[in-house]
Amino acid sequence: MDFVWLEVTTLAERPDRLPLTAQFDDPTVAQFLYQDPVSAALFPELVAQHPQYTLLAVERDTGRAAAMLCTLPFTAGEALPPGGYDAVLLAAAADTLAGRAGPDVSALFATVRPDLRGRGVSAHLLALARRNTARLGHTALHAPVRPTHKHLQPLVPLEAYLTRRRPDGSAEDPWLRVHERAGGRFVAVAPHSMTITASLDRWREWTGQPFDAPGPVVVDGGLGPVLCDPERGIATYIEANAWYRHDL
């Protein structure tokens, strides 16, 4: 597919485009997913500290932000962390504070403007991220992948969801399929990739649900249920992601 209508650069190449990264708030994403405290505290500053790891696509004719894929260097250790997304941010922050860039790289956030979806832009950006990661001297690109259709089946364990295949053998989930077609392979489940704990009042505000009984509560946009604890006045969402590895 021809993507000449897109200009893709790193933020290091075009630092003037950093403000465009704030234009990707997606109204279709559940509000509570923006409340991960680790991400809120670390993600924006880490992207600014490592601009060569973020790809931003703009439309050539309009200059409008079209898509973005953020990766970060981090130290994985002997195995990819079960903490997934949050663990990468914490490791990347520790490396940055120590004045170094980690030897490993993880993709953390990818988004395409809603009106441009379904045109292969995400696959194009992932291919460019693989190339950029190799150019920066790394041998693999990892990703704690958040399956895009898992929220439609929140009570299905992620391990079972990952086995679902189309008749041609490809992954049933679109985003998993993009990773696999690009050369990624599943490595492990990250069982607590993102954790969000808040008061019941905040959860009611975010979801419109009553949160008045103990136990799991299915909410729109969640890959799994939220665990409600009225006795303590809190509820917790723990999201599992799927670690993929792209050898470069």
Side-chain angles (χ1 to χ4, degrees):
M1 189 174 294
D2 191 350
F3 291 97
V4 294
W5 55 280
L6 281 181
E7 181 186 7
V8 184
T9 63
T10 67
L11 290 180
E13 294 167 322
R14 290 296 304 267
D16 58 304
R17 288 179 173 169
L18 180 61
L20 295 180
T21 63
Q23 297 184 11
F24 288 103
D25 282 347
D26 186 344
T28 66
V29 174
Q31 185 182 3
F32 74 89
L33 291 171
Y34 292 109
Q35 312 302 322
D36 175 14
V38 175
S39 184
L42 299 178
F43 184 79
E45 181 61 24
L46 286 171
V47 169
Q49 289 286 334
H50 301 281
Q52 69 272 36
Y53 286 89
T54 290
L55 297 175
L56 183 68
V58 301
E59 293 179 296
R60 290 186 184 276
D61 59 344
T62 67
R64 292 182 64 195
M68 179 170 65
L69 196 154
C70 302
T71 70
L72 283 175
F74 76 112
T75 300
E78 295 184 0
L80 291 169
Y85 176 83
D86 284 351
V88 170
L89 289 174
L90 290 167
D95 287 332
T96 301
L97 287 172
R100 62 177 181 260
D104 307 296
V105 178
S106 178
L108 288 177
F109 178 76
T111 186
V112 177
R113 210 174 69 214
D115 62 302
L116 298 178
R117 292 173 186 170
R119 299 173 62 175
V121 175
S122 61
H124 178 57
L125 227 59
L126 180 58
L128 294 179
R130 286 168 50 101
R131 188 182 308 170
N132 187 59
T133 302
R135 180 183 66 82
L136 292 169
H138 302 278
T139 60
L141 171 65
H142 304 90
V145 180
R146 186 177 197 272
T148 51
H149 285 181
K150 177 66 175 67
H151 70 282
L152 301 175
Q153 303 175 58
L155 298 180
V156 175
L158 181 60
E159 291 85 351
Y161 183 84
L162 295 174
T163 66
R164 298 186 174 182
R165 297 279 152 176
R166 303 198 307 176
D168 64 1
S170 62
E172 186 177 272
D173 186 89
W175 190 218
L176 298 179
R177 193 161 61 245
V178 168
H179 276 272
E180 292 179 359
R181 285 177 172 172
R185 59 181 176 84
F186 171 70
V187 177
V189 168
H192 50 95
S193 193
M194 177 189 293
T195 301
I196 301 169
T197 299
S199 70
L200 299 185
D201 283 342
R202 294 298 303 277
W203 281 105
R204 292 170 184 133
E205 175 188 339
W206 295 334
T207 68
Q209 298 270 38
F211 279 91
D212 55 1
V217 179
V218 172
V219 298
D220 289 344
L223 302 197
V226 179
L227 186 60
C228 178
D229 185 352
E231 184 176 342
R232 298 170 62 200
I234 61 172
T236 300
Y237 172 74
I238 301 175
E239 179 173 295
N241 291 162
W243 272 118
Y244 273 71
R245 175 186 172 98
H246 294 254
D247 291 306
L248 306 175

